């Protein structure tokens, strides 16, 4: 009988190529897979278990927290806090570092995560997900400190996301390619379904919220116009696809080719998305899959974060189209300044 390649088997296989690895990293990924199963099953059940709707609180960005946001945030922390592998975690939903309770050992890693990305879509049965990044800590004391988390994305040891869609998938990279696993609900295991994902060469999809148009900078107008301008009367090369769940937009573009942008604009001067919880982990995956991510000036992975909840403009997807955006930023930013 041919053995299915389960997530655990795959991680162990990767580890056997690195005899120096102590298995800690694998154990962390394993626990994250458990969190994904728990959150995924609750997402599927949400409609019938009255978990839909607002929890009544606002998170630190002033956004209403959904009940499932709160649930997912707690689950992700709970599966990792007692492992002895983690020194602390930061989540999009919480102001401060989540420290490890004193009764547990602290480990060498720190985690950044967005427990439920795209949560404004929950009520409409649209795909949502959990995004995470894993760093080695810098400090050595009993508690993690801010600088453990304020590391450039280049330093990530691994990153990934779970997506709760028509199936639940876990996609991760530990720096040796991007691998996707689909949950087989009958046996409760993630099975390798997408080995060594590479972004297709052609950029087919353009993902941007066009309703922000009146606030866009000149470069964004030109960029979107020129991408759509690739289409002819007889052939469509670029299609608009925007879900409003970054993780789902990214996942589709990763598999099918495309560029996602959430630029800075007149209303959201720093952009909307968060550097630590969203941009860095997905940028890590994009590069591993042959793509790229930029804030328009700099590769996302080279940005040194200044704050835990820092926002960033994000252009992510096929390398050629991300670099095209960087050129447009250079070309049109100056022209815009001169006009103003
Ligand atoms: P969230 O993490 O609170 O769900 O917010 C992030 C989401 C992304 O998933 C998505 O790309 C973006 O916000 C959508 O924003 P908008 O509604 O402005 O297009
Ligand atoms: Mg998010």
């Amino acid at each position: 009988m041919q053995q299915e390649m389960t997530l655990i088997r795959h991680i162990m296989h990767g580890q056997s190529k690195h005899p120096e690895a102590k298995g800690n990293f694998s154990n962390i990924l394993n626990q994250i897979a458990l969190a994904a199963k728990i959150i995924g099953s609750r997402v599927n059940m949400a409609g019938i278990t009255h978990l839909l709707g607002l929890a009544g609180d606002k998170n630190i960005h002033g956004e209403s927290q959904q009940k499932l946001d709160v649930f997912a945030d707690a689950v992700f922390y709970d599966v990792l806090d007692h492992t002895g592998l983690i020194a602390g975690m930061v989540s999009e939903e919480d102001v401060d570092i989540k420290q490890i309770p004193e009764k547990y050992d602290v480990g060498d890693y720190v985690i950044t995560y967005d427990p439920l990305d795209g949560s404004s879509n929950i009520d409409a049965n649209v795909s949502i997900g959990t995004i995470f990044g894993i760093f080695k800590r810098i400090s050595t004391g009993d508690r993690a400190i801010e600088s453990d988390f304020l590391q450039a994305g280049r330093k990530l040891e691994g990153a990934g996301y779970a997506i709760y869609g028509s199936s639940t998938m876990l996609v991760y990279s530990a720096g040796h390619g991007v691998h996707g696993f689909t949950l087989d609900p009958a046996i409760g295991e993630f099975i390798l379904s997408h080995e060594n994902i590479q972004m297709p060469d052609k950029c087919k999809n353009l993902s941007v919220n066009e309703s922000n148009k009146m606030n866009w900078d000149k470069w964004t107008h030109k960029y979107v116009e020129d991408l759509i301008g690739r289409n002819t009367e007889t052939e469509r090369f670029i299609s608009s696809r925007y879900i409003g769940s970054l993780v789902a937009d990214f996942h589709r573009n990763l598999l099918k080719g495309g560029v996602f942008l959430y630029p800075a604009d007149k209303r959201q001067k720093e952009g909307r998305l968060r550097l630590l919880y969203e941009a860095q982990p997905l940028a890590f995956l994009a590069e591993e899959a042959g793509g790229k991510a930029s804030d328009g000036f700099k590769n996302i992975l080279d940005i040194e974060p200044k704050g835990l909840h820092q926002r960033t403009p994000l252009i992510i997807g096929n390398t050629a189209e991300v670099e095209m955006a960087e050129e447009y930023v250079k070309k049109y930013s100056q022209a815009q300044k001169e006009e103003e």
Side-chain angles (χ1 to χ4, degrees), residues 92 114 116-119 131 246 273-274 277-278:
E92 187 187 296
D114 179 354
L116 217 48
D117 175 65
S119 54
I131 308 174
L246 172 63
L273 301 167
R274 290 77 170 177
Y277 315 115
E278 290 159 331

Side-chain angles (χ1 to χ4, degrees), residues 121-191:
N121 282 316
I122 293 171
D123 291 9
N125 225 340
V126 170
S127 298
I128 50 181
T130 302
I131 308 174
F132 61 90
I134 305 170
F135 288 104
K136 273 259 171 70
R137 70 184 296 201
I138 298 168
S139 66
T140 51
D142 289 346
R143 294 164 75 78
I145 57 174
E146 215 170 74
S147 56
D148 290 326
F149 301 93
L150 301 183
Q151 302 193 50
R154 255 320 134 222
K155 302 258 175 65
L156 280 162
E157 296 279 324
Y161 57 85
I163 178 164
Y164 315 113
S166 45
S167 58
T168 294
M169 277 191 75
L170 189 86
V171 177
Y172 88 94
S173 176
H176 309 285
V178 179
H179 310 290
F181 299 78
T182 303
L183 183 66
D184 179 344
I187 55 168
E189 286 279 3
F190 281 106
I191 307 293

Side-chain angles (χ1 to χ4, degrees), residues 63 92 114 116-120 209 212 242 244-247 260 262 272-274 278:
E63 298 153 337
E92 187 187 296
D114 179 354
L116 217 48
D117 175 65
S119 54
S120 65
N209 189 339
N212 293 329
Y242 188 75
S245 273
L246 172 63
V247 72
F260 171 100
Y262 210 121
R272 167 164 165 77
L273 301 167
R274 290 77 170 177
E278 290 159 331

Side-chain angles (χ1 to χ4, degrees), residues 54-55 57-59 62-66 69 93 119:
L54 303 182
D57 275 336
K58 299 219 164 189
N59 70 12
E63 298 153 337
S64 298
Q65 280 186 313
Q66 303 272 339
D69 279 341
E93 297 298 328
S119 54

Side-chain angles (χ1 to χ4, degrees), residues 27-62:
N27 289 337
I28 293 172
L29 274 175
N30 227 340
Q31 288 304 100
I32 291 176
L34 173 62
K37 284 185 214 171
I38 299 171
I39 299 168
S41 92
R42 203 55 85 86
V43 167
N44 290 338
M45 294 286 288
I48 47 173
T49 52
H50 309 291
L51 269 168
L52 289 181
L54 303 182
D57 275 336
K58 299 219 164 189
N59 70 12
I60 60 141
H61 310 285

